[in-house]
Amino acid sequence: MSYTRERSRPYEPGKAAPYKLSRSKIELYMQCPRCFWLDVRRKITRPSSPPFNINKAIDELFKKEFDAYRVQKKPHPLMEQFGVDAVPYQHKDLDTWRHNFTGVTTLHKPTNLHIFGAVDDVWVNPAGELIVVDYKATAKAEPVRALGPEGGWQDMYRRQMEVYQWLLRANGFDVSDTGYFVYATGNPGKESFDGVVEFETHVFPHTGKTDWVEQTIIAMKACMESDAMPSVGTAAMGGPCEFCTYARSRTELTLDSLRSKNETR
């Protein structure tokens, strides 16, 4: 069954057909239920950020590297360097899992939501457990060797990996709680560019907790069914939503300006 057409339309409460939601929509809900509601009910989306083309290029290069060792059924040197006892996983659907518009999919029957997400890579350990792998890239003075403390912006990286773990389990796979980030850090401290950025790559684990995913999807469905928008600035992850704060401030300024013009007439 194709869900593309359903996804392109605003959500209609009470619809019998499954509605398609990406992993990024789960993250959007976690950041701000109001922004999520406006997106799915009215198709009013947040302003988009510039594309991270350098990061995408590094992702593609990593995939090519790990695919070469996948064919050989051998661990990549980075896996050996950082003590990961696994090899890149071979599966007929791997390309589908890694494609942005298909990904790993499941129909969540309690909500009738078709959830999907595109994983960067999957490894497998000697016990036969699948390992979710996420490629990341940045540039800073010191190489990234671990994610920052919980409660910060890097929590969205943790949630991203955990949704992929949940999706693979929903498809019947035995999935390890431990996933890995392959994190490449570009060094901006060289004396000159010379057409080359040197990267230092570290592989480090994250122990995923997926119990929040199910309850979040149920809460998302309740939000979608409601005709009332969540309050301005309310964020499920705590703190005000910067997009809602900006929209409210701009609206208030516009109304004040209109009032001033009317009073001077």
Side-chain angles (χ1 to χ4, degrees), residues 23 27 118-121 123 130-136 147 154-169 175-183 203-210 212-213:
R23 190 276 318 165
E27 180 59 32
V119 67
D120 282 339
D121 206 350
W123 301 343
L130 301 194
I131 298 171
V132 173
V133 180
D134 206 26
Y135 305 142
K136 298 295 181 189
L147 295 185
Q154 287 183 331
D155 280 354
M156 63 182 177
Y157 290 169
R158 297 181 175 93
R159 289 192 291 268
Q160 181 180 13
M161 179 173 287
E162 290 163 0
V163 171
Y164 298 148
Q165 291 175 333
W166 179 85
L167 280 167
L168 285 168
R169 288 185 180 129
V175 181
S176 173
D177 288 338
T178 302
Y180 286 91
F181 289 98
V182 179
Y183 219 121
V203 179
F204 52 85
H206 168 63
T207 302
K209 301 174 183 177
T210 60
W212 64 272
V213 179

Side-chain angles (χ1 to χ4, degrees), residues 1-11 15-22 43 101-109 111-116:
M1 179 183 295
S2 173
Y3 298 93
T4 304
R5 188 177 179 185
E6 292 297 335
R7 181 171 176 257
S8 66
R9 297 175 176 174
Y11 176 74
K15 278 189 71 72
Y19 191 79
K20 190 173 184 181
L21 287 178
S22 67
K43 289 300 175 183
F101 297 107
T102 52
V104 185
T105 68
T106 189
L107 178 62
H108 185 249
K109 291 183 179 180
T111 59
N112 206 30
L113 293 177
H114 178 83
I115 309 296
F116 73 101

Side-chain angles (χ1 to χ4, degrees), residues 23 52-67 70 76 98 100 118-121 133-138 157 160 164 181-184 199 201:
R23 190 276 318 165
F52 295 100
N53 291 328
I54 298 297
N55 301 62
K56 290 180 180 178
I58 293 171
D59 281 2
E60 289 303 314
L61 291 171
F62 270 141
K63 286 177 182 177
K64 290 175 182 178
E65 279 190 29
F66 281 95
D67 282 350
R70 195 182 320 276
H76 187 285
R98 297 197 296 192
N100 282 338
V119 67
D120 282 339
D121 206 350
V133 180
D134 206 26
Y135 305 142
K136 298 295 181 189
T138 190
Y157 290 169
Q160 181 180 13
Y164 298 148
F181 289 98
V182 179
Y183 219 121
F199 285 85
T201 302

Side-chain angles (χ1 to χ4, degrees), residues 21 29 34 38 40 52 60 64 94 107 113-114 118 133 135 159 202 214 224 237 239 245-246 257:
L21 287 178
Y29 175 82
R34 181 183 176 90
L38 287 168
V40 300
F52 295 100
E60 289 303 314
K64 290 175 182 178
L94 182 61
L107 178 62
L113 293 177
H114 178 83
V133 180
Y135 305 142
R159 289 192 291 268
H202 288 260
E214 178 87 12
M224 294 165 64
M237 62 187 295
T245 300
Y246 168 78
S257 177

